[in-house]
Amino acid sequence: MAPRALDYESLNENVKKVQYAVRGELYLRASELQKEGKKIIFTNVGNPHALGQKPLTFPRQVVALCQAPFLLDDPNVGLLFPADAIAKAKHYLALTTGGLGAYSDSRGMPGVRKEVADFIERRDGYPSDPELIFLTDGASKGVMQILNTIIRGESDGVLVPVPQYPLYSAAISLFGGSLVPYYLEETENWGLDVNNLRQSVAQARYKGITVKAMVIINPGNPTGQCLSESNLREILRFCYQENLALLGDEVYQQNIYQDERPFISARKVMMGMGPPISKEVQLVSFHTVSKGYWGECGQRGGYFEMTNIPPKTVDEIYKVASVSLSPNVPAQIFMGLMVNPLKPGDISYEQFIRESKGVLESLRRRARMMTDGFNSCKNVICNFTEGAMYSFPQIKLPPKAIEAAKRAGKVPDVFYCLKLLEATGISTVPGSGFGQKDGVFHLRTTILPAEEEMPEIMDSFKKFNNEFMEQYDDRSGYSRM
Amino acid sequence: MAPRALDYESLNENVKKVQYAVRGELYLRASELQKEGKKIIFTNVGNPHALGQKPLTFPRQVVALCQAPFLLDDPNVGLLFPADAIAKAKHYLALTTGGLGAYSDSRGMPGVRKEVADFIERRDGYPSDPELIFLTDGASKGVMQILNTIIRGESDGVLVPVPQYPLYSAAISLFGGSLVPYYLEETENWGLDVNNLRQSVAQARYKGITVKAMVIINPGNPTGQCLSESNLREILRFCYQENLALLGDEVYQQNIYQDERPFISARKVMMGMGPPISKEVQLVSFHTVSKGYWGECGQRGGYFEMTNIPPKTVDEIYKVASVSLSPNVPAQIFMGLMVNPLKPGDISYEQFIRESKGVLESLRRRARMMTDGFNSCKNVICNFTEGAMYSFPQIKLPPKAIEAAKRAGKVPDVFYCLKLLEATGISTVPGSGFGQKDGVFHLRTTILPAEEEMPEIMDSFKKFNNEFMEQYDDRSGYSRM
């Protein structure tokens, strides 16, 4: 019988080519082990609430009231909700076209897009146009839409950092384009060297690829570095010279764990450089409610902002967004609340600040604990997590381990991470899922386990790593580490 | 200067080809008029809450509590929420991995998928496997994912009814495939003739197209017909003979306005036919929380269920779903609540039944009022809306109107609908946005305006239509209609 439309051999080859290690082999095995009753610590994905982070109270109160607007007429509402939450719920309900159950405009509610534009203006010091801001079901959906708009076929290339968050490689595969890698320098704290960029572009062009866009992830995922202003300037100059659109993944802009290098947006740097760059470089910036101290991943809220994109293109993007009608409305309200937070004097302000500071300060301590824990292992080196939510240590694997992995039919870091999972329940993602230079091996873990559990987790990692090295490294010393 | 990556001339041609009239020229003009202060009746999209339909109280109470789980510990919670809503909120929170703020599994929460499977089993009388059910951000996203999985390029074709809901044509364009039309027979109450199907497939094959799948929309959108069991049997036999996957868009399964032809699912008919059809035909069925008497469009919740899809394909679909991490969690809970509703004896049961019956009975009356209203115009014929949410009258346009449209550079039905919009504020979608036979013209309107406003809206339509005909039809009589 001929293969049917949904038999594997008939499927779209681009679908088959997609790889997404964050929920790949390791995650699937972890899910199995969990079903069998093993305690799993899911550090494979930046999902703070899954590891016990509590939601911020105020935004949840507001969205709960928006879901149940009949409560606003209940004389007892003040017993469960503070007055400022009630006022905010009324504010957002008035911005909808029929409450949370009605589709909004496909770009998102105009009132929330205005709040996002105001936020960007306050953050960067340059005005932003709500008509160029689209709300999305999480940042990933926005990234996918923009890449789908850009990529015409395999001769269109997109510069992507290596290591990278595999959303980019996956989406480029799905849309049939070519990923053009540029390497981040581990020994330079995962810095970006513009000479490497130039080489990558030259090589791609030599292969007949039209390089159309460049992705930056700032702060870095999985690498955790913050880009400096001068580095961003170099990147923008490069995009201008090479006629590349810049896609700025800035979803971790609130997750900063040091004071030397605060977050600075690509848009702010670009506007500050003046013409021709500020007028010519096409920039799309992405943000989300899933990260920061909010961590509202399950709500699926995000936005992208376009700069220097011509109106005819914006119309096309609007048209395609319209096919799926509307991003979910509750998350649009979370986005409004995130970009337009409480102010001193508001009834719920103190609690909000206490809760959000609590999350951020704990993340800062956890970033340090994790880096230090990894670096206390002889065969592990780890740059400090300056921002984002991940630690990306390099694991030096001895030849015997690489041999054993080969025999098991596994990539060496997959082999290591699987053993780690079986031994400790810690579910990480192998470095090969993000890309790395040949012959070096990493893993990515989030810094999100509860602070009080962190020492035990790092001890459990160290114990596993020592035993692994003892088993696979003939050189003496590991057993006494 | 060379065009930049996001200049119109550089964009993905498939993006440019997408057409989506539901939010096209008419909608954009209506939005402009609204900004200018004109009262617009948005009947372009099935968006019940936007036209005043109230949400069902109980599910909103449950989801509000899930958003604000700290209320569950508040001694006053019982003053605002009934005990069964509190119990249900606890039930769903226990199924999450960290409340609404945590990503779920990319297929959706296992517990809700189990509830969907149980619902399908109760509805159809055949067991359903939760592992083959994926929750999605609305049904559209699921349809798009499945079409993306199937379509390899322009020589892959998908049979789509004409008239059709333009999600299908839009998605097929976006993924670079070929739409293979089959015509529904207006004079046969929008019935589907399998001989037409055979012709469509033969013609497509003659052009070198591999027809891989067939779409049915039951109840029909925009056409409102319900497929009979014998018609579904013919379709399934045809899919088996022609080796086509069947995509069953069943989002309007709760919207039935007559008793002769109740909804019957494609899956139930298929399972009842026994082998080889029940074992061989690949079926994907779609459902949503946006329609029915829920109308929770803005929440973006849906599912698809796969039958006879091999595990390797399911793995591929899972992998691609994982790239965007998780459907939004609040809407997953709405889905759970929809498929697992209150039972007699539950505290909130009476209210729930009263509210849902109220919506459905009113829709039934509105379907009748609208059909009758259209049919009372000499130049309009309209099949009764057996199900779904739309009326799709044929408007007989006189040659002078067609001429005037031509001069204005508009398709005749676009011309008519624009005039209708300017005159009355009624925002419809021209039939050409859904496809229709050459030389006949339609419009689609939802039956969703508030029941008490319906007589006025139909009067306003009739008045406009008479004036239009008076202006463009030389034959006597319209002025006295």
Side-chain angles (χ1 to χ4, degrees):
Chain A
M1 195 182 162
R4 295 166 299 173
L6 282 156
D7 286 351
Y8 182 79
E9 48 273 53
S10 311
L11 304 184
N12 179 354
E13 289 298 327
N14 290 338
V15 163
K16 297 188 203 172
K17 277 184 206 147
V18 167
Q19 295 196 346
Y20 188 69
V22 170
R23 287 202 166 162
E25 182 177 359
L26 262 289
Y27 170 73
L28 296 174
R29 180 68 188 131
S31 302
E32 269 174 31
L33 288 170
Q34 191 183 38
K35 265 193 190 162
E36 292 166 15
K38 190 174 171 75
K39 191 194 163 195
I40 301 296
I41 303 146
F42 282 102
T43 67
N44 58 303
V45 55
N47 194 5
H49 292 211
L51 292 174
Q53 183 179 311
K54 291 272 164 294
L56 303 171
T57 306
F58 180 74
R60 289 297 192 96
Q61 288 170 327
V62 174
V63 176
L65 284 167
C66 291
Q67 282 287 9
F70 39 82
L71 294 181
L72 296 169
D73 303 323
D74 193 300
N76 290 318
V77 66
L79 296 174
L80 270 79
F81 294 92
D84 51 0
I86 293 169
K88 269 283 188 202
K90 287 180 181 166
H91 163 74
Y92 283 111
L93 283 171
L95 297 181
T96 68
T97 49
L100 303 197
Y103 296 127
S104 70
D105 185 90
S106 318
R107 296 165 297 186
M109 291 149 62
V112 172
R113 289 187 283 129
K114 173 78 172 63
E115 294 184 343
V116 172
D118 291 346
F119 154 75
I120 293 171
E121 180 166 352
R122 284 196 310 276
R123 185 194 65 189
D124 293 346
Y126 301 94
S128 164
D129 180 357
E131 297 293 302
L132 300 176
I133 292 165
F134 281 35
L135 305 182
T136 53
D137 287 313
S140 302
K141 287 282 167 66
V143 168
M144 292 177 86
Q145 203 197 337
I146 296 300
L147 286 172
N148 194 15
T149 306
I150 290 177
I151 295 170
R152 294 165 299 189
E154 58 181 342
S155 67
D156 277 349
V158 178
L159 272 168
V160 171
V162 173
Q164 53 118 14
Y165 174 53
L167 162 65
Y168 294 95
S169 48
I172 292 167
S173 294
L174 188 62
F175 302 133
S178 291
L179 186 148
V180 181
Y182 66 90
Y183 286 90
L184 303 176
E185 285 305 324
E186 186 163 15
T187 51
E188 303 291 328
N189 202 29
W190 297 116
L192 187 168
D193 182 344
V194 175
N195 291 323
N196 284 350
L197 279 177
R198 249 180 260 288
Q199 269 186 6
S200 296
V201 170
Q203 276 173 19
R205 290 200 178 131
Y206 181 76
K207 291 187 205 157
I209 290 170
T210 307
V211 185
K212 293 188 74 181
M214 172 175 178
V215 172
I216 53 172
I217 310 175
N218 179 35
N221 176 4
T223 41
Q225 83 286 12
C226 293
L227 293 178
S228 68
E229 186 169 349
S230 68
N231 211 178
L232 281 163
R233 245 190 250 120
E234 284 181 302
I235 291 166
L236 282 156
R237 216 172 286 127
F238 177 77
C239 287
Y240 175 67
Q241 287 160 353
E242 303 291 340
N243 194 19
L244 304 177
L246 183 61
L247 309 186
D249 180 336
E250 301 180 333
V251 298
Y252 296 104
Q253 59 188 267
Q254 291 181 312
N255 296 98
I256 306 293
Y257 312 123
Q258 38 74 43
D259 303 316
E260 297 73 40
R261 207 136 55 199
F263 169 76
I264 177 164
S265 77
R267 188 164 191 275
K268 176 172 184 165
V269 173
M270 184 169 95
M271 299 314 278
M273 290 172 84
I277 287 177
S278 64
K279 295 279 185 206
E280 289 294 340
V281 173
Q282 298 186 317
L283 171 67
V284 187
S285 307
F286 302 90
H287 200 6
T288 184
V289 302
S290 300
K291 310 299 172 184
Y293 43 88
W294 293 64
E296 291 280 9
C297 298
Q299 312 282 356
R300 313 311 292 120
Y303 76 75
F304 59 86
E305 185 203 20
M306 299 174 276
T307 311
N308 298 328
I309 311 293
K312 273 185 81 174
T313 297
V314 176
D315 288 349
E316 292 295 309
I317 293 170
Y318 185 14
K319 179 185 70 180
V320 172
S322 294
V323 178
S324 33
L325 288 162
S326 152
N328 89 74
V329 176
Q332 297 185 38
I333 294 175
F334 276 105
M335 182 54 85
L337 289 160
M338 184 176 95
V339 297
N340 189 10
L342 287 164
K343 285 167 192 60
D346 290 338
I347 302 165
S348 302
Y349 178 77
E350 295 297 335
Q351 183 187 10
F352 182 79
I353 290 297
R354 196 168 58 246
E355 290 175 351
S356 48
K357 262 198 173 169
V359 172
L360 271 187
E361 286 170 0
S362 168
L363 281 172
R364 191 183 264 244
R365 290 190 296 270
R366 283 180 273 171
R368 177 50 70 195
M369 286 159 89
M370 215 158 211
T371 309
D372 290 350
F374 284 127
N375 282 324
S376 74
C377 299
K378 253 192 185 172
N379 62 316
V380 180
I381 19 173
C382 186
N383 285 322
F384 175 61
T385 302
E386 297 180 342
M389 291 186 170
Y390 309 98
S391 202
F392 195 65
Q394 187 187 140
I395 318 285
K396 301 200 176 188
L397 296 178
K400 235 174 103 182
I402 295 173
E403 265 310 302
K406 215 175 193 173
R407 278 197 306 277
K410 301 281 177 202
V411 177
D413 54 10
V414 174
F415 179 77
Y416 179 90
C417 290
L418 278 169
K419 294 258 177 203
L420 173 65
L421 171 67
E422 306 275 348
T424 65
I426 304 173
S427 165
T428 60
V429 186
S432 50
F434 305 91
Q436 53 200 356
K437 288 186 175 167
D438 280 346
V440 295
F441 304 105
H442 298 80
L443 61 80
R444 186 189 83 166
T445 164
T446 68
I447 60 167
L448 298 175
E451 194 171 345
E452 61 276 18
E453 288 173 25
M454 202 60 114
E456 194 188 321
I457 289 171
M458 293 316 290
D459 283 350
S460 143
F461 170 79
K462 274 203 246 183
K463 183 162 168 290
F464 158 78
N465 180 67
N466 283 354
E467 284 167 10
F468 183 93
M469 293 303 286
E470 214 171 311
Q471 184 178 356
Y472 292 106
D473 195 352
D474 297 330
R475 290 171 299 164
S476 64
Y478 277 104
S479 59
R480 293 186 314 274
M481 229 173 47
Chain B
M1 196 182 162
R4 296 166 299 172
L6 282 156
D7 286 350
Y8 182 77
E9 48 273 54
S10 311
L11 303 184
N12 179 354
E13 289 297 328
N14 290 339
V15 163
K16 296 187 203 171
K17 276 182 207 149
V18 167
Q19 295 196 347
Y20 188 69
V22 171
R23 286 202 168 164
E25 181 176 358
L26 262 289
Y27 170 72
L28 296 174
R29 180 69 189 133
S31 302
E32 270 173 30
L33 288 171
Q34 191 183 40
K35 264 193 190 162
E36 292 165 15
K38 190 173 172 77
K39 191 194 164 196
I40 302 296
I41 303 147
F42 282 102
T43 66
N44 58 305
V45 55
N47 194 7
H49 292 212
L51 292 174
Q53 184 178 309
K54 291 273 163 292
L56 303 171
T57 305
F58 180 73
R60 289 297 192 95
Q61 288 169 327
V62 174
V63 176
L65 284 167
C66 291
Q67 282 287 10
F70 39 81
L71 294 180
L72 296 168
D73 303 325
D74 193 301
N76 291 321
V77 67
L79 296 175
L80 270 79
F81 296 92
D84 51 359
I86 293 169
K88 268 286 188 202
K90 287 179 181 168
H91 162 75
Y92 284 110
L93 284 171
L95 296 181
T96 67
T97 51
L100 303 197
Y103 296 126
S104 70
D105 185 88
S106 318
R107 296 165 297 184
M109 292 150 62
V112 172
R113 288 188 284 131
K114 174 77 171 64
E115 293 183 342
V116 172
D118 292 345
F119 153 74
I120 293 170
E121 181 167 350
R122 283 196 310 277
R123 184 194 65 188
D124 292 346
Y126 301 95
S128 164
D129 180 356
E131 297 293 303
L132 300 175
I133 292 164
F134 282 35
L135 305 182
T136 52
D137 287 313
S140 303
K141 288 281 166 69
V143 168
M144 293 177 87
Q145 202 197 337
I146 297 299
L147 287 172
N148 194 15
T149 307
I150 290 176
I151 296 170
R152 294 165 299 189
E154 59 181 342
S155 67
D156 277 350
V158 179
L159 273 167
V160 171
V162 173
Q164 54 118 16
Y165 173 53
L167 162 64
Y168 294 95
S169 48
I172 292 167
S173 294
L174 188 62
F175 303 133
S178 291
L179 186 148
V180 180
Y182 66 90
Y183 286 91
L184 303 176
E185 285 305 326
E186 185 162 17
T187 51
E188 302 293 327
N189 202 28
W190 296 116
L192 187 168
D193 182 344
V194 175
N195 292 322
N196 284 350
L197 279 176
R198 249 179 260 287
Q199 269 186 6
S200 297
V201 169
Q203 276 173 18
R205 290 202 177 129
Y206 182 77
K207 291 187 204 155
I209 289 170
T210 308
V211 184
K212 294 188 74 182
M214 172 174 177
V215 172
I216 53 172
I217 310 176
N218 180 36
N221 176 4
T223 42
Q225 83 287 14
C226 294
L227 294 178
S228 68
E229 186 168 349
S230 68
N231 211 179
L232 282 163
R233 245 190 249 122
E234 286 181 300
I235 291 166
L236 282 155
R237 216 172 287 127
F238 177 77
C239 287
Y240 176 69
Q241 288 160 353
E242 303 291 341
N243 194 19
L244 305 177
L246 182 62
L247 308 187
D249 180 336
E250 301 180 333
V251 299
Y252 297 102
Q253 60 188 268
Q254 291 181 312
N255 296 97
I256 306 293
Y257 312 123
Q258 39 72 45
D259 303 316
E260 298 73 41
R261 207 137 54 200
F263 169 76
I264 177 164
S265 77
R267 188 165 191 274
K268 176 172 184 166
V269 174
M270 184 169 93
M271 299 313 279
M273 290 172 84
I277 287 177
S278 65
K279 294 280 185 205
E280 289 293 341
V281 174
Q282 299 186 316
L283 170 67
V284 187
S285 306
F286 302 90
H287 200 6
T288 185
V289 302
S290 300
K291 310 300 172 183
Y293 42 88
W294 294 64
E296 291 281 8
C297 298
Q299 313 281 355
R300 312 310 294 120
Y303 76 75
F304 59 87
E305 184 203 20
M306 300 173 277
T307 311
N308 297 328
I309 312 293
K312 274 185 82 173
T313 297
V314 176
D315 289 349
E316 293 295 310
I317 293 171
Y318 186 13
K319 180 185 69 180
V320 172
S322 294
V323 177
S324 33
L325 287 162
S326 153
N328 90 73
V329 177
Q332 296 184 39
I333 294 174
F334 275 104
M335 182 54 85
L337 288 161
M338 183 176 94
V339 296
N340 189 10
L342 288 165
K343 285 165 194 60
D346 290 336
I347 302 166
S348 303
Y349 177 77
E350 295 296 337
Q351 184 187 9
F352 181 80
I353 290 298
R354 196 169 57 246
E355 291 174 352
S356 47
K357 262 197 172 169
V359 172
L360 271 186
E361 286 170 0
S362 168
L363 281 172
R364 190 183 265 245
R365 289 189 296 269
R366 282 179 272 171
R368 177 50 68 197
M369 287 159 89
M370 214 157 210
T371 309
D372 291 350
F374 283 126
N375 282 325
S376 75
C377 300
K378 253 193 188 171
N379 63 317
V380 180
I381 20 172
C382 186
N383 284 323
F384 176 60
T385 301
E386 297 179 343
M389 291 186 170
Y390 310 97
S391 200
F392 195 65
Q394 185 186 142
I395 317 285
K396 302 201 176 189
L397 296 178
K400 233 174 107 183
I402 296 174
E403 264 309 303
K406 215 175 192 174
R407 277 196 306 277
K410 302 281 177 202
V411 176
D413 55 9
V414 173
F415 179 77
Y416 180 89
C417 290
L418 278 169
K419 294 256 176 205
L420 172 65
L421 171 67
E422 306 275 349
T424 64
I426 304 173
S427 165
T428 59
V429 186
S432 49
F434 306 91
Q436 54 200 355
K437 289 188 176 166
D438 281 346
V440 294
F441 304 104
H442 298 81
L443 61 80
R444 187 190 80 167
T445 164
T446 68
I447 59 166
L448 297 174
E451 194 172 344
E452 60 275 20
E453 288 173 26
M454 203 60 114
E456 195 189 322
I457 289 172
M458 292 317 291
D459 283 350
S460 144
F461 170 80
K462 274 203 252 184
K463 182 163 170 287
F464 158 77
N465 181 68
N466 284 355
E467 285 166 10
F468 182 94
M469 293 304 287
E470 213 170 314
Q471 183 177 358
Y472 292 106
D473 194 352
D474 297 329
R475 290 172 298 166
S476 64
Y478 278 102
S479 59
R480 294 187 312 273
M481 228 173 46

